[in-house]
Amino acid sequence: MTTILELRVQAQLESPGRSFLLDASFNSTTQRTALVGASGSGKSTVLMAIAGLLPQARGYVRVADKVLLDTEHSVDLPARERGVGLVFQDYALFPHMTVEQNLAFGICRLGKRPNEAERDRIDALIRQFDLEALRGAWPRHLSGGQRQRVALARALAPQPHFLLLDEPLSALDAQLRVRLRHELAEMLERVQVPALLVTHDLSDVEALAQSVIHLDKGRVVDSAITESATPT
């Protein structure tokens, strides 16, 4: 099978009263991989290392044929050049921007107006994620499901080669989480961009992932292909 993500990363993180060593290595060959583990096990830190948002990261990260990090050969691509889309746990939509402006931020250079091609890209995403009626809406007026769709559309706007989703359902109440779990699975299937999903919920793994990697205290302790990835 083709390796979609190859990662070997170390990072020493220091904070008052706490020291944490990330020393994680794994390969992923499936379109959707779940990274699971207890709180504080280093799951989100792995995402930051892949996204280029962890300056302490040392080692090697490759997505498909693109090397994002290789400290042995002085390769450390800036976040904007990595071709990685990131959906944060709380979606992190800009409250002072409309839905359309949030999507434009994901595709345009800072302070620039979208050109014709970028405009077409934004329009296509708005149609794809059923956001036409919400173009001019502010994030505070959106439901949890609508915020999720906007956040995913914004992450996809620059046409990334890989998606990172950091607990994308944890901010929702239990009833809404069940419904949006299935909607997210359908959206990921439709866009066909490989994704790494951080979660602590086994229901997320069952609905969204084709393989699972278990992280504990900064190290990978287990990995497996899920039943959903097994051909029928």
Side-chain angles (χ1 to χ4, degrees):
M1 283 191 264
T2 302
T3 299
I4 295 174
L5 171 65
E6 181 180 354
L7 178 142
R8 302 189 303 273
V9 166
Q10 291 185 330
Q12 182 74 48
L13 306 180
E14 303 288 346
S15 60
R18 183 171 185 257
S19 179
F20 178 80
L21 174 64
L22 176 71
D23 187 4
S25 299
F26 63 85
N27 293 350
S28 174
T29 59
T30 60
Q31 280 284 106
R32 297 189 302 278
T33 300
L35 187 60
V36 304
S39 178
S41 61
K43 303 185 301 296
S44 295
T45 306
V46 169
L47 293 198
M48 296 302 104
I50 297 170
L53 301 176
L54 188 68
Q56 305 96 320
R58 299 290 181 269
Y60 184 84
V61 178
R62 176 175 62 85
V63 172
D65 295 327
K66 186 173 185 178
V67 176
L68 311 184
L69 176 71
D70 185 351
T71 49
E72 185 177 342
H73 296 95
S74 301
V75 175
D76 187 0
L77 296 185
R80 195 173 184 90
E81 296 178 13
R82 292 198 173 201
V84 173
L86 176 59
V87 178
F88 292 95
Q89 182 174 344
D90 60 357
Y91 307 134
L93 300 179
F94 297 109
H96 62 291
M97 293 183 180
T98 65
V99 166
E100 187 170 8
Q101 290 168 340
N102 266 278
L103 266 62
F105 184 88
I107 198 172
C108 302
R109 290 187 177 276
L110 200 60
K112 300 287 186 180
R113 291 180 179 273
N115 59 34
E116 185 176 352
E118 292 167 340
R119 176 84 271 153
D120 290 344
R121 174 70 176 159
I122 293 166
D123 289 342
L125 285 166
I126 284 176
R127 289 192 300 271
Q128 184 177 13
F129 287 90
D130 193 23
L131 298 169
E132 187 66 48
L134 301 171
R135 276 181 181 265
W138 304 103
R140 64 179 177 274
H141 296 146
L142 302 179
S143 69
Q146 290 166 342
R147 289 196 298 273
Q148 182 191 74
R149 296 208 309 272
V150 174
L152 187 55
R154 184 179 66 182
L156 289 167
Q159 298 180 290
H161 304 296
F162 197 73
L163 274 176
L164 302 170
L165 298 97
D166 191 0
E167 305 251 22
L169 300 171
S170 65
L172 308 173
D173 63 61
Q175 186 174 0
L176 184 59
R177 191 181 306 130
V178 172
R179 178 169 64 83
L180 293 187
R181 184 179 290 127
H182 296 293
E183 288 189 12
L184 180 57
E186 290 174 0
M187 285 188 285
L188 291 174
E189 184 66 27
R190 189 165 64 241
V191 300
Q192 282 298 299
V193 176
L196 180 65
L197 165 79
V198 159
T199 184
H200 63 275
D201 191 329
L202 292 181
S203 296
D204 291 346
V205 176
E206 293 172 1
L208 299 168
Q210 297 166 313
S211 61
V212 59
I213 294 163
H214 186 189
L215 202 65
D216 183 41
K217 298 178 181 177
R219 294 177 178 269
V220 173
V221 294
D222 195 17
S223 64
I225 301 294
T226 66
E227 289 185 6
S228 62
T230 305
T232 55

